[in-house]
Amino acid sequence: MMMRRWLLSCLVLLGAWGLAQAQRAEHLLGPGDVVRIAVYQNPDLSLETRISELGEIAFPLIGSVNLAGRSTTSAQNEIARLLREGNFVNNPQVSVALMQVRSAQVSILGQVARPGRYPIETAGSKVSEMIAAAGGINPEGGNVVTLTGTRNGQPVKIEIDLPAVLQGGRADLDAPVANGDTLFVDRGPVFFIYGEVQRPGQFRLERGTTLMQALAQGGGLTQRGTERGMRVHRKDANGNVRVLQLNLTDLVERDDVIYVRESIF
């Protein structure tokens, strides 16, 4: 019995903590946001409207109401108070739903088609949706989007693997964006191959690329080239270059430099 009471107490505390977190993260209304307002059993008082540049809306019976800086819960309470104190509705039950978010913006930088600042059109918009609004990632861009911003007053940095989200069905990895966030798409990883190959140069590194596949991207060996004695120059975590001899089935890593030697026979 005591264990059960303890578990119930923990659940109550966790529920209160979760509610507090949700309240802190709730969007504050601002100019440009679109809200839908309904008053129970008073359909004539229902409307969908955009908050003006002054942060106000025009509401039936009570006139201008300033909603800027308020949460939807606070907006509900304010409209209900004005209806009640004006003797327009007895015990009004008001609901305010956020339909479009235009007061909040996200900066999208790096390898996207149209870098710039974009409004968060809908509450709860995800990283993938904002990248799509910017025209998607350029061919030179990488697969990872880095989100930087603040949550509950603390700086955050999140890396979102877009292929895992869009192709792997991992919607749980698609983080929601918030006002003031910056999304950055870096250049995609590359490797270099030179020596006795048909097309030496720089190539995009796809996931899971083996040394054999890297050789194929370089057009294969020349008549003088040999797979024996190939060297891979790779930087370690400290920036020091190590010279490795890999098997053809080993994976190539970002910024690897592959050198194909000439056969001595």
Side-chain angles (χ1 to χ4, degrees), residues 22-79:
Q23 289 173 339
R24 283 197 292 269
E26 190 172 5
H27 173 75
L28 299 181
L29 300 173
D33 288 348
V34 177
V35 292
R36 179 179 293 166
I37 305 171
V39 181
Y40 180 64
Q41 292 186 338
N42 289 271
D44 292 343
L45 298 180
S46 298
L47 82 160
E48 184 170 315
T49 185
R50 187 180 300 275
I51 299 174
S52 73
E53 292 300 318
L54 297 177
E56 301 174 341
I57 64 166
F59 195 80
L61 300 179
I62 59 178
S64 296
V65 183
N66 193 309
L67 299 184
R70 293 182 179 272
S71 66
T72 53
T73 301
S74 175
Q76 291 170 177
N77 295 336
E78 177 66 5
I79 294 171

Side-chain angles (χ1 to χ4, degrees), residues 163-180:
V165 171
L166 302 176
Q167 300 172 5
R170 292 294 307 277
D172 58 302
L173 301 178
D174 199 2
V177 295
N179 183 36

Side-chain angles (χ1 to χ4, degrees), residues 23-207:
Q23 289 173 339
R24 283 197 292 269
E26 190 172 5
H27 173 75
L28 299 181
L29 300 173
D33 288 348
V34 177
V35 292
R36 179 179 293 166
I37 305 171
V39 181
Y40 180 64
Q41 292 186 338
N42 289 271
D44 292 343
L45 298 180
S46 298
L47 82 160
E48 184 170 315
T49 185
R50 187 180 300 275
I51 299 174
S52 73
E53 292 300 318
L54 297 177
E56 301 174 341
I57 64 166
F59 195 80
L61 300 179
I62 59 178
S64 296
V65 183
N66 193 309
L67 299 184
R70 293 182 179 272
S71 66
T72 53
T73 301
S74 175
Q76 291 170 177
N77 295 336
E78 177 66 5
I79 294 171
R81 182 186 68 81
L82 294 171
L83 289 171
R84 182 173 58 253
E85 293 181 356
N87 295 318
F88 299 117
V89 180
N90 292 325
N91 192 27
Q93 299 180 42
V94 181
S95 66
V96 176
L98 179 60
M99 307 307 295
Q100 287 187 339
V101 183
R102 296 196 66 87
S103 62
Q105 292 188 324
V106 170
S107 297
I108 306 178
L109 308 174
Q111 298 299 315
V112 292
R114 297 186 298 275
R117 291 179 61 82
Y118 288 83
I120 304 174
E121 297 283 358
T122 307
S125 292
K126 302 296 185 68
V127 167
S128 62
E129 296 168 338
M130 300 306 300
I131 292 297
I137 296 177
N138 292 334
E140 298 82 10
N143 293 323
V144 174
V145 181
T146 302
L147 180 154
T148 55
T150 58
R151 299 292 186 273
N152 300 322
Q154 299 296 320
V156 296
K157 181 178 180 181
I158 306 171
E159 292 189 343
I160 296 90
D161 187 334
L162 278 188
V165 171
L166 302 176
Q167 300 172 5
R170 292 294 307 277
D172 58 302
L173 301 178
D174 199 2
V177 295
N179 183 36
D181 281 352
T182 297
L183 306 182
F184 178 72
V185 180
D186 200 355
R187 288 187 176 273
V190 297
F191 69 92
F192 306 86
I193 186 168
Y194 69 106
E196 295 299 329
V197 289
Q198 301 288 346
R199 294 192 303 273
Q202 172 184 303
F203 297 90
R204 182 184 176 92
L205 178 63
E206 303 295 343
R207 292 184 182 182

